[in-house]
């Protein structure tokens, strides 16, 4: 196997899998290393770009997309594991541990989702969709978080309080970013729509109602706080 991997010496999906799994385990405290998480996620993104570019070359040549045409058998096996829902969920989890600002994290999460979707080898499962809501929530990607919330409803995934909390967090993150970058020379009627979070909160409540999810006191208080401060 080692001899077969010499074709692409910088392509090591098995190592990326190990790094991603390790980075996703870190928690706040002494064991949390945001720089190691960044390195793991950046390497993961580079590997996704490599796979995507190679598949695109095949498409441009009007050839069927086949990993075996440009990877060794051992690399193909590791790549399929790399693109699995389980490892992808770990990679998304590692991305929220990079300690990036809202704008940088928003771009990173959107780019990872774009690559994963473009390659098209990763089923969107219950755990992965929940993790994507978490990442988009922290990144302030309100529209994407709510789209995933709707997808979970459409697929009849069990409602979990965390997914609604993550969507509320998306509103908070976006609102905080916009307040820091607010154009003070523009009138209130021309401020971004996120400055009025009512429709987003209503969408969350509607989704909860449609899925018979319980509105806990803790979540209700957080939504009220978000409405009052955004």
């Amino acid at each position: 196997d080692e001899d077969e991997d010499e074709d692409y010496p910088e392509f090591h999906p098995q190592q990326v899998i190990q790094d991603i799994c390790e980075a996703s385990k870190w928690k706040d405290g002494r064991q949390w290393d945001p720089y190691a998480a960044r390195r793991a996620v950046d390497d993961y993104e580079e590997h996704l770009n490599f796979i995507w570019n190679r598949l695109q070359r095949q498409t441009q040549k009007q050839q069927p997309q086949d990993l075996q045409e440009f990877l060794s058998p051992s690399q193909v096996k590791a790549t399929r594991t790399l693109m699995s829902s389980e490892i992808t969920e770990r990679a998304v989890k590692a991305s929220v541990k990079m300690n990036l600002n809202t704008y940088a994290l928003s771009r990173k999460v959107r780019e990872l989702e774009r690559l994963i979707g473009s390659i098209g080898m990763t089923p969107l499962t219950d755990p992965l969709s929940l993790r994507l809501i978490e990442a988009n929530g922290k990144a302030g990607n309100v529209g994407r978080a709510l789209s995933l919330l709707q997808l979970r409803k459409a697929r009849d995934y069990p409602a979990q309080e965390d997914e609604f909390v993550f969507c509320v967090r998306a509103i908070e993150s976006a609102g905080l970013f916009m307040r820091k970058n607010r154009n003070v020379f523009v009138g209130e009627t021309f401020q971004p729509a996120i400055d009025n979070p009512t429709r987003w909160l209503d969408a969350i409540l509607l989704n909860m109602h449609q899925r018979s999810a319980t509105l806990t006191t803790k979540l209700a208080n957080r939504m009220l706080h978000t409405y009052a401060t955004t």
Side-chain angles (χ1 to χ4, degrees):
D1 287 348
E2 291 180 0
D3 294 336
E4 292 174 333
D5 291 346
E6 290 179 357
D7 290 342
Y8 301 103
E10 296 182 359
F11 186 74
H12 297 294
Q14 191 59 49
Q15 184 61 52
V16 174
I17 292 170
Q18 294 175 9
D19 293 342
I20 283 294
C21 288
E22 186 63 28
S24 68
K25 294 177 183 178
W26 286 320
K27 300 179 179 179
D28 292 348
R30 293 182 179 180
Q31 294 182 336
W32 180 40
D33 186 348
Y35 299 104
R38 291 180 192 181
R39 288 193 296 271
V41 174
D42 285 347
D43 199 17
Y44 172 77
E45 184 180 348
E46 287 182 6
H47 276 63
L48 293 188
N49 269 307
F50 173 83
I51 296 167
W52 170 237
N53 288 331
R54 289 286 173 169
L55 292 175
Q56 280 296 98
R57 289 184 190 180
Q58 291 180 332
T59 300
Q60 291 170 359
K61 294 179 180 180
Q62 297 184 340
Q63 299 173 345
Q65 293 187 345
D66 186 359
L67 296 176
Q68 298 182 39
E69 291 297 320
F70 58 89
L71 296 177
S72 68
S74 62
Q75 289 176 324
V76 169
K77 182 178 179 181
T79 298
R80 294 194 186 284
T81 302
L82 181 70
M83 299 306 303
S84 68
S85 299
E86 293 77 13
I87 298 303
T88 302
E89 188 267 336
R90 294 291 91 189
V92 176
K93 183 177 182 180
S95 73
V96 303
K97 298 179 179 292
M98 294 189 297
N99 198 26
L100 299 177
N101 63 47
T102 303
Y103 179 72
L105 181 59
S106 176
R107 293 186 61 183
K108 175 66 74 174
V109 171
R110 289 200 304 269
E111 179 61 13
L112 290 178
E113 282 203 75
R114 184 191 69 80
L115 286 169
I116 293 165
S118 297
I119 294 170
M121 295 173 56
T122 308
L124 187 56
T125 59
D126 182 347
L128 177 55
S129 64
L130 184 61
R131 190 67 69 186
L132 285 169
I133 293 180
E134 179 185 9
N136 281 286
K138 188 170 184 180
N141 296 333
V142 182
R144 179 55 179 160
L146 290 177
S147 293
L148 288 163
L149 195 67
Q150 286 297 107
L151 180 142
R152 286 178 61 81
K153 178 180 77 71
R155 294 191 178 184
D156 292 324
Y157 291 151
Q160 300 183 40
E161 184 174 3
D162 281 348
E163 62 189 287
F164 305 115
V165 172
F166 296 150
C167 286
V168 174
R169 182 187 297 171
I171 301 171
E172 295 169 347
S173 297
L176 178 62
F177 176 78
M178 288 188 175
R179 284 199 300 276
K180 288 182 177 179
N181 298 276
R182 189 182 183 91
N183 184 352
V184 297
F185 300 102
V186 174
E188 288 298 320
T189 57
F190 298 100
Q191 292 296 341
I194 193 66
D195 275 7
N196 182 357
T198 304
R199 63 178 176 136
W200 306 113
L201 293 171
D202 284 347
I204 296 172
L205 289 170
L206 178 60
N207 187 282
M208 293 181 68
H209 173 72
Q210 292 172 335
R211 298 166 70 191
S212 301
T214 301
L215 177 62
T216 63
T217 302
K218 182 179 179 180
L219 179 55
N221 287 337
R222 182 161 185 173
M223 295 179 82
L224 287 171
H225 181 265
T226 300
Y227 174 76
T229 59
T230 301

